[in-house]
């Protein structure tokens, strides 16, 4: 039950209890006043006893009400019968006034309480019981049938009118409570929805901020690489032209061999510089068909220049002709580079880093494994959270960004235990539907060809 409807229930309950107490207090005052005035024809002791019972009943009723319950809630007619008898007796013992006794107004109070607490049918049944009770009062008097007159008729009309009015008002109150409950439920659900949206937006913002930070870091790294490439590139070009000049001259075989060697090494340095410049160019948002083998080659060749990259045993097992993907090339390079650099960081000098890429039924799997210490079980989920790092100079954004990139391609990035002993970060990229169709067709053709031969 909602707070607002509970409040309405409590308010209605408290009215019902107050109506009872008002009846008891007025009854006691009436009896005592008339006894003091020396009224005759009644049974004061019986009236006092009945009112004491009435007070006790009101007390029990109040204690139930305070605990949010209603006395005999499931059998309200028991209460109605008791009240009918109780009021009938009060009228009977009331100083001989019988049908004109002021206690007949108790029927009204009882009907009002009943309407507040119970449904329409119970209230009308109570009204019938009260009519019966009131109609028996004249027979307990010497007047008998002669007592039925205007007073009786007016009281009966009053009882019916009160029954109708109080049930109508109570119905109105109950309907208002129901409407309030519905409105409250709607309000609650919109509130929940709003909270969910705020939480989702906050998460998105945090993730975006983390991605931006990582991109800034990569951009700074690229700028540095471009600067170095530029500084080294110019003197290198001069050396290269000098070597070419020397090669055009007459030389003995020893000098020719050495010059050729120098030229080869210079070409190697130029290739490295070109790769560095390629990597450092501002990343684009361009989506294109990307050859997975080439992306992996590029990431691996950059990783080789990373500190310690040369001192690791880099094992590369790539299936030839891995499929192409529609993706952002720079992001894919960044993804695999991050994984390989992490593996290099995790291994000792002379350690092994293995990169495997192979096709499965409807995906391509690329696993970067190492023989480092691995990721402890309790950190397995945390390593993908932004800003989680165990490195002194780490940012904790690498794996987070990797996962984002993979998710954009509907793929998964999972952490396993490698058979090499360390961690295995495996990327699974689903092969596009059209490629799967081509592959199935190829398989079918292969099968037919096999059957023919
Ligand atoms: P960073 O490299 O800046 O720390 P990452 O998100 O790339 O950020 O990595 C988060 C953490 O995950 C690392 O600090 C490290 O503790 C753990 N981790 C990542 N790769 C490996 C790995 N191959 N072996 C062991 N731990 C790893």
């Amino acid at each position: 039950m909602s707070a607002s409807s509970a409040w309405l229930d409590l308010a209605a309950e408290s009215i019902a209890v107050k109506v009872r107490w008002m009846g008891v207090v007025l009854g006691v005052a009436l009896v005592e006043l008339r006894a003091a005035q020396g009224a005759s024809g009644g049974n004061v002791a019986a009236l006092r006893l009945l009112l004491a019972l009435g007070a006790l009943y009101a007390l029990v009723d109040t204690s139930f009400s305070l605990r949010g319950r209603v006395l005999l809630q499931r059998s309200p007619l028991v209460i109605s019968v008791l009240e009918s008898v109780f009021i009938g007796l009060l009228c009977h013992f009331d100083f001989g006034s019988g049908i004109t006794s002021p206690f007949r107004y108790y029927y009204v109070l009882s009907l009002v309480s009943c309407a507040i607490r119970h449904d329409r049918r119970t209230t009308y049944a109570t009204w019938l019981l009260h009519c019966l009770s009131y109609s028996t009062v004249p027979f307990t008097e010497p007047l008998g049938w002669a007592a039925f007159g205007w007073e009786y008729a007016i009281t009966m009309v009053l009882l019916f009118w009160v029954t109708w009015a109080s049930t109508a008002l109570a119905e109105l109150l109950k309907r208002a409570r129901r409407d309030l409950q519905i409105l409250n439920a709607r309000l609650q659900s919109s509130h929940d929805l709003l909270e969910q949206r705020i939480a989702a937006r906050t998460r998105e913002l945090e993730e975006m901020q983390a991605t931006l930070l990582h991109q800034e870091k990569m951009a700074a790294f690229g700028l540095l690489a471009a600067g170095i490439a530029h500084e080294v590139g110019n003197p290198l070009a001069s050396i290269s032209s000098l070597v070419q000049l020397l090669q055009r001259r007459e030389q003995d075989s020893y000098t020719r061999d050495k010059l050729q060697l120098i030229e080869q090494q210079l070409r190697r340095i130029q290739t490295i510089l070109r790769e560095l410049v390629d990597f450092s160019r501002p990343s684009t948002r361009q989506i294109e068909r990307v050859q997975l083998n080439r992306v992996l080659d590029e990431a691996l060749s950059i990783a080789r220049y990373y500190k310690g990259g040369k001192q690791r045993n880099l094992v590369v097992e790539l299936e030839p002709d891995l499929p192409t993907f529609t993706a952002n090339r720079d992001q894919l390079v960044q993804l695999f580079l991050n994984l390989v650099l992490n593996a290099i960081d995790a291994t000792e000098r002379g350690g092994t880093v293995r990169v495997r890429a192979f096709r499965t039924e409807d995906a391509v799997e690329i696993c970067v494994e190492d023989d480092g210490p691995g990721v402890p079980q309790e950190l397995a989920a945390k390593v993908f959270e932004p800003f989680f790092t165990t490195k002194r100079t780490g940012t904790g954004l690498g794996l987070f960004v990797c996962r984002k990139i993979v998710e954009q391609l509907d793929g998964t990035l999972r952490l396993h235990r490698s058979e090499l002993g360390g961690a295995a970060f495996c990327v699974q990229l689903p092969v596009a539907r059209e490629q799967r169709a081509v592959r199935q067709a190829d398989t079918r053709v292969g099968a037919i060809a096999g059957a023919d031969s």
Side-chain angles (χ1 to χ4, degrees), residues 217 342-343 345-346 370 373-375 383 388-391 394-400 423 425:
K217 182 189 137 193
N342 271 347
D345 281 343
D370 61 69
V375 178
V383 293
F388 174 82
T389 182
T390 53
K391 298 176 194 168
T395 59
L397 291 171
L399 287 176
F400 166 73
F425 284 91

Side-chain angles (χ1 to χ4, degrees), residues 25-41:
V25 171
L26 283 180
V28 171
L30 188 77
V31 169
E32 295 311 321
L33 206 71
R34 289 169 82 185
Q37 283 171 349
S40 60

